[in-house]
Amino acid sequence: MSSFSRLDKAYNTAKHISINDTSKFIFFSDCHRGDNSFADDFANNRNIYFHALNHYYQQGFQYCELGDGDELWENLNFESIFEAHKNVFKLLRQFHLENRLHMVWGNHDMVYRSQAYVDKHLSSYFEPIDGVDKQLFEGLAYNEALVLTHEKTGQEIFCTHGHQADWWNYRCWRIGRFLVRILWKPLQVVGIADPTSPAKNYKELIRIEKRIKRWILRKDLKITIAGHTHRPRFPEPGQIPFFNDGSCVHPRSITGIEVENGQITLIKWQIATKPDGTLQIVRLVLEGPQKLTDYIDN
């Protein structure tokens, strides 16, 4: 199966969501939430992420996670990740209870393709203080992709992880998971990068992006938002409309994409120093906002 066929499959089986100019969405991907060990890249940015997530919850955004939210290559199960970042998952539960949570699986959490796995591990958790099981993400379903369709213009936004354009990480993810758990996780602690990751392999990153762009050309320049490579991308109108929300494991910052008021924006959250020397978490606009309709007639 080619990258075109895999992307076609993701598009054809995607969860469809209707939007309008009042809709508000935040897209994050590649959080790689781990167990708070030295190999947990998310741990460095978890306070930034939690602050941003709370902001979007309070502002009424819908949350879309485009794959690799949980690091299930390095970690054996979800339970250890949940215990390390319980406050994050409890906040995500609030999105879920209000039908504002949309989850996509990536290569590092591809086990979420199985509804049985999701039901078993994510539906509830044991609370040792009360000594009982409590509900978490009951009824949650992960998807390979999302398609946001504007009610008036009919314009579509295709959202997926992006590993469909990466043969190794799509077809051989079990081998990759084995190598990461046995070999690269211990080496990561001493600073040696995993060469199977496109985020750390520039040549492979470029090849993956080119494959996605060729698919977009075949699809009449359909707006596409992906992650996987960890490299933020924000095209100008007239260019191939391939967006990438980056990741939540950048050094000292996280990036994402907002869709609000019929516009799309690439943003970054980071820690900044006030004049008095105290620290604060701030939101910065990297690119945009740009009207979605500007990408209709490329």
Side-chain angles (χ1 to χ4, degrees):
M1 184 183 291
S2 68
S3 59
F4 295 125
S5 299
R6 291 190 292 269
L7 286 165
D8 280 341
K9 175 179 174 293
Y11 174 73
N12 292 331
T13 60
K15 174 184 178 180
H16 284 257
I17 304 170
S18 180
I19 67 171
N20 54 47
D21 286 345
T22 67
S23 300
K24 298 193 287 188
F25 287 82
I26 174 62
F27 295 87
F28 285 131
S29 73
D30 299 276
C31 299
H32 293 279
R33 291 181 290 263
D35 61 357
N36 201 32
S37 68
F38 285 111
D40 184 2
D41 292 331
F42 175 75
N44 295 323
N45 290 335
R46 60 182 170 184
N47 290 329
I48 300 174
Y49 175 86
F50 184 80
H51 176 82
L53 189 65
N54 187 60
H55 165 84
Y56 291 118
Y57 177 74
Q58 297 296 334
Q59 295 299 315
F61 278 71
Q62 299 194 52
Y63 179 83
C64 300
E65 191 165 274
L66 299 184
D68 286 4
D70 297 329
E71 181 48 72
L72 289 169
W73 279 17
E74 294 181 358
N75 303 283
L76 293 176
N77 54 57
F78 169 76
E79 284 74 16
S80 62
I81 300 172
F82 173 79
E83 288 300 325
H85 307 294
K86 186 180 290 188
N87 63 328
V88 168
F89 290 105
K90 286 187 174 181
L91 183 50
L92 287 173
R93 169 173 163 78
Q94 297 306 309
F95 281 92
H96 176 58
L97 291 175
E98 298 174 20
N99 296 315
R100 292 197 272 147
L101 184 68
H102 311 284
M103 305 296 270
V104 169
W105 46 263
N107 52 302
H108 280 250
D109 52 11
M110 200 177 282
V111 291
Y112 291 154
R113 291 187 304 178
S114 167
Q115 188 61 47
Y117 185 97
V118 173
D119 291 341
K120 179 180 179 180
H121 294 277
L122 276 68
S123 291
S124 62
Y125 68 96
F126 179 74
E127 179 53 73
I129 296 176
D130 301 323
V132 297
D133 286 331
K134 292 190 174 182
Q135 291 184 329
L136 186 59
F137 297 125
E138 64 280 11
L140 177 66
Y142 275 71
N143 298 276
E144 186 171 2
L146 309 170
V147 173
L148 279 56
T149 305
H150 197 281
E151 295 173 352
K152 291 185 177 180
T153 66
Q155 186 178 26
E156 290 185 342
I157 305 175
F158 173 58
C159 314
T160 193
H161 182 58
H163 67 299
Q164 293 83 357
D166 182 350
W167 178 84
W168 169 263
N169 279 297
Y170 191 92
R171 301 298 299 175
C172 302
W173 65 273
R174 289 183 176 86
I175 299 174
R177 181 178 63 181
F178 173 79
L179 292 174
V180 166
R181 285 181 181 175
I182 302 302
L183 182 61
W184 296 115
K185 181 178 180 180
L187 292 177
Q188 183 182 5
V189 174
V190 296
I192 299 176
D194 172 12
T196 66
S197 170
K200 299 169 184 175
N201 185 332
Y202 185 73
K203 290 183 178 179
E204 183 61 20
L205 180 154
I206 295 299
R207 283 194 288 266
I208 291 168
E209 290 185 349
K210 285 182 177 179
R211 293 179 195 129
I212 296 176
K213 287 180 179 179
R214 286 198 293 267
W215 181 84
I216 294 172
L217 289 172
R218 288 191 177 191
K219 292 294 181 178
D220 298 323
L221 297 173
K222 188 184 303 297
I223 291 180
T224 298
I225 305 175
H228 188 52
T229 64
H230 295 199
R231 181 165 81 149
R233 305 293 294 166
F234 194 94
E236 295 293 330
Q239 298 177 335
I240 297 174
F242 170 53
F243 295 81
N244 193 304
D245 60 10
S247 80
C248 294
V249 292
H250 298 295
R252 299 171 298 281
S253 68
I254 67 175
T255 57
I257 285 179
E258 297 173 355
V259 171
E260 183 181 11
N261 299 325
Q263 298 178 316
I264 187 167
T265 309
L266 177 66
I267 53 88
K268 176 170 75 170
W269 290 83
Q270 66 179 29
I271 295 176
T273 306
K274 293 182 179 180
D276 63 2
T278 58
L279 302 178
Q280 62 179 341
I281 299 173
V282 297
R283 170 187 171 275
L284 303 175
V285 173
L286 298 180
E287 299 282 351
Q290 193 76 47
K291 291 182 179 179
L292 291 170
T293 52
D294 291 341
Y295 295 95
I296 290 181
D297 297 318
N298 286 299

